């Protein structure tokens, strides 16, 4: 693979976060069912191996499984490319180069895509980091072992995700655009967040659901930690305005006017 370059986390200014408090509030506001986690890349695997109580796979794993171990079992897990099943897992985090072998996507022809052209188009559409690394670790945010992580990951239902996005957009509004590459959806989540430094929402793919323990109703949000305080403040403001998760159902036959009056008291109906 390519020589490891400086990762985005190393180039970014050092910031400190009270992750236990942030996770507590995020979980309270969204009623999350699983553990919010962090992901961090390392130019030297020795740095990853020095993390306290780090676990290493004993057999080949998919990165989906490693992420699942962190968010479902609460483990801190580190991997190098040799621990993974191949380029499809390594490239979205910079553990494998975006080279001709990866871009051809030959292993997907006749499996996920009908032709070599279709498979190559899919590979080219995947978002992967511009830089490379030698190791990656994932860990629950509350552990503080990644100090800080490069990106944060949490899983939730569509309702939880739209409320989180509403919180992000409460101040400094910005339209958010998300992508769907289909299979290899990790490129839409951690791959895109690592590449762009922006929030990335994905519909987890077959591999994530079959091997990573992702439930049928779950989506994945990946984003740099700097976005968490902003989203939380936005959701708190929405709470004060009467908007809370889970959303209480009004009903398909009842007039919405009474509900509207609570939010828009100056409006005439």
């Amino acid at each position: 693979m390519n020589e490891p370059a400086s990762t985005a986390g190393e180039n970014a200014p050092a910031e400190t976060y009270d992750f236990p408090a942030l996770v507590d509030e995020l979980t309270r506001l969204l009623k999350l069912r699983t553990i919010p986690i962090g992901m961090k890349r390392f130019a030297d695997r020795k740095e990853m191996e020095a993390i306290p109580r780090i676990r290493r796979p004993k057999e080949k794993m998919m990165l989906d499984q490693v992420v699942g171990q962190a968010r479902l079992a609460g483990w801190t897990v580190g991997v190098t490319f040799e621990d993974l099943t191949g380029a499809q897992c390594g490239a979205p985090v910079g553990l494998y180069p975006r080279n001709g072998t990866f871009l051809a996507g030959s292993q997907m022809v006749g499996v996920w895509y009908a032709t070599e052209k279709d498979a190559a188009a899919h590979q080219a559409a995947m978002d992967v980091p511009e830089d490379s690394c030698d190791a990656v670790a994932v860990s629950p945010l509350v552990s503080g072992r990644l100090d800080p992580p490069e990106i944060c990951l949490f899983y939730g239902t569509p309702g939880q995700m739209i409320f989180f996005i509403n919180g992000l957009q409460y101040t400094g509004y910005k339209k958010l655009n998300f992508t769907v590459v289909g299979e290899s959806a990790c490129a839409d989540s951690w791959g895109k967040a690592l590449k762009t430094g922006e929030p990335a929402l994905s519909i987890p793919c077959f591999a994530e659901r079959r091997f990573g323990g992702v439930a049928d109703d779950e989506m994945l949000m990946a984003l740099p930690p700097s976005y968490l305080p902003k989203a939380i403040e936005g959701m708190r403001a929405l709470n004060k305005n009467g908007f809370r998760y889970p959303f209480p159902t009004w009903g398909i036959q009842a007039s919405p006017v009474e509900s509207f009056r609570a939010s828009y008291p100056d409006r005439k109906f």
Side-chain angles (χ1 to χ4, degrees):
M1 61 181 289
N2 292 344
E3 287 296 316
S6 297
T7 67
E10 290 174 326
N11 291 331
E15 294 186 69
T16 58
Y17 301 93
D18 185 348
F19 282 116
L22 290 172
V23 168
D24 183 68
E25 191 69 346
L26 187 69
T27 302
R28 182 187 72 81
L29 290 164
L30 293 179
K31 313 298 188 292
L32 295 179
R33 300 180 300 199
T34 62
I35 302 168
I37 67 172
M39 176 182 287
K40 187 171 184 176
R41 300 176 296 157
F42 299 88
D44 186 340
R45 67 186 64 195
K46 292 181 181 178
E47 296 178 66
M48 174 271 288
E49 293 168 346
I51 295 172
R53 302 181 68 182
I54 189 86
R55 293 172 182 252
R56 298 295 308 280
K58 296 180 180 178
E59 299 182 77
K60 294 279 187 179
M61 303 289 287
M62 297 187 70
L63 196 56
D64 309 322
Q65 295 174 291
V66 173
V67 167
Q69 290 171 6
R71 69 110 174 184
L72 294 171
W75 296 351
T76 299
V77 188
V79 296
T80 63
F81 180 69
E82 292 76 17
D83 297 313
L84 302 177
T85 53
Q88 214 64 19
C89 276
V93 290
L95 284 174
Y96 190 87
R98 196 171 183 270
N99 60 14
T101 301
F102 170 75
L103 290 172
S106 301
Q107 75 280 1
M108 291 189 161
V109 179
V111 181
W112 285 103
Y113 305 104
T115 68
E116 293 180 2
K117 181 179 179 181
D118 293 324
H122 167 265
Q123 298 296 94
M126 290 176 62
D127 282 308
V128 304
E130 302 290 344
D131 53 8
S132 64
C133 63
D134 196 36
V136 174
V138 292
S139 180
L141 289 175
V142 297
S143 75
R145 292 177 186 150
L146 301 185
D147 192 34
E150 199 170 344
I151 57 172
C152 304
L153 310 171
F154 69 90
Y155 289 77
T157 66
Q160 290 167 327
M161 291 303 180
I162 190 57
F163 193 60
F164 181 82
I165 290 168
N166 292 152
L168 274 176
Q169 294 175 324
Y170 188 74
T171 58
Y173 177 85
K174 179 180 179 181
K175 181 179 179 178
L176 299 176
N177 294 293
F178 306 122
T179 56
V180 180
V181 297
E183 189 55 27
S184 307
C186 56
D188 294 315
S189 54
W190 53 73
K192 188 169 186 176
L194 288 169
K195 178 182 178 180
T196 66
E198 298 286 335
L201 179 69
S202 74
I203 304 172
C205 62
F206 175 86
E208 291 174 86
R209 296 178 191 279
R210 183 172 178 83
F211 301 109
V214 178
D216 193 49
D217 63 347
E218 288 184 312
M219 304 180 77
L220 170 58
M221 177 66 77
L223 72 174
S226 58
Y227 284 93
L228 287 180
K230 180 179 189 296
I232 287 169
E233 285 304 312
M235 288 188 288
R236 284 174 177 163
L238 291 170
N239 270 214
K240 291 179 181 178
N241 293 338
F243 305 121
R244 299 178 180 87
Y245 183 84
F247 310 121
T249 301
W250 191 261
I252 63 172
Q253 291 183 302
S255 170
V257 170
E258 183 180 346
S259 178
F260 283 174
R261 284 187 177 128
S263 298
Y264 309 100
D266 298 328
R267 179 177 170 183
K268 294 183 179 181
F269 297 94

